[in-house]
Amino acid sequence: MHGYPARFESDPLGGILVTFPDFGHATHGDDMADAYVMAQDLLLHMLSDLIAEKGSIPAPGKLRGKHAKPVTVPALPAAKVELYQELRAAHITKAELARRMGQAKQQVERLFDLRRYSRLDQIEAAFAALGKEIAIEVRDAA
């Protein structure tokens, strides 16, 4: 999953204001490092809410302006977001996914909780039940 663009700007009241054009939400940090952590946390909350509400996950918009910077989703939650999108694209329910995996529905529900740890082999099994597989890419850090 790519990062979502965010604007990091000095707040006249102090600190850094971070806004997400794709979501219309904002957060604040004491300095750039804190602002990024807060932005990443807000991004996870926004994505979690969309999944809980069975909503569509927007594609990341274009990164524009000198104050723009991508905010990335950590690998495990990113895999869960991708799994959610594949589930929606397949037009099947979590209950059907659980049946295909031979798992209890409660176990499958946990695979869509971005704040809960899940084993990668469980996520791979869920993708396999959807006829998909995970490919891992390693890149140089920015």
Side-chain angles (χ1 to χ4, degrees):
M1 167 174 269
H2 303 285
Y4 280 88
R7 292 187 53 81
F8 289 77
E9 300 175 286
S10 293
D11 188 336
L13 300 174
I16 306 292
L17 178 65
V18 184
T19 56
F20 284 95
D22 294 328
F23 295 95
H25 288 82
T27 189
H28 187 273
D30 295 332
D31 55 31
M32 191 59 92
D34 183 49
Y36 188 85
V37 169
M38 298 300 288
Q40 202 170 43
D41 188 56
L42 176 60
L43 181 56
L44 286 174
H45 277 291
M46 292 184 296
L47 293 170
S48 291
D49 287 349
L50 287 171
I51 290 171
E53 296 165 2
K54 299 178 181 163
S56 296
I57 306 289
K62 297 274 187 209
L63 196 60
R64 294 189 176 111
K66 68 178 183 174
H67 298 291
K69 177 178 178 176
V71 176
T72 59
V73 177
L76 185 59
K80 291 179 174 207
V81 170
E82 293 295 333
L83 178 61
Y84 171 74
Q85 290 179 303
E86 290 297 332
L87 181 79
R88 283 178 51 96
H91 303 291
I92 67 167
T93 64
K94 292 176 187 174
E96 172 60 17
L97 179 61
R99 188 193 65 71
R100 289 181 184 188
M101 293 175 66
Q103 299 286 325
K105 186 173 184 274
Q106 298 87 337
Q107 287 178 296
V108 170
E109 283 284 344
R110 293 181 191 132
L111 296 178
F112 297 94
D113 184 344
L114 302 188
R115 300 250 175 230
R116 186 180 196 115
Y117 176 77
S118 297
R119 292 188 345 236
L120 188 57
D121 64 321
Q122 294 170 327
I123 294 172
E124 283 182 300
F127 275 112
L130 295 172
K132 304 290 180 179
E133 64 182 28
I134 292 177
I136 296 176
E137 177 184 349
V138 176
R139 294 180 273 182
D140 290 334

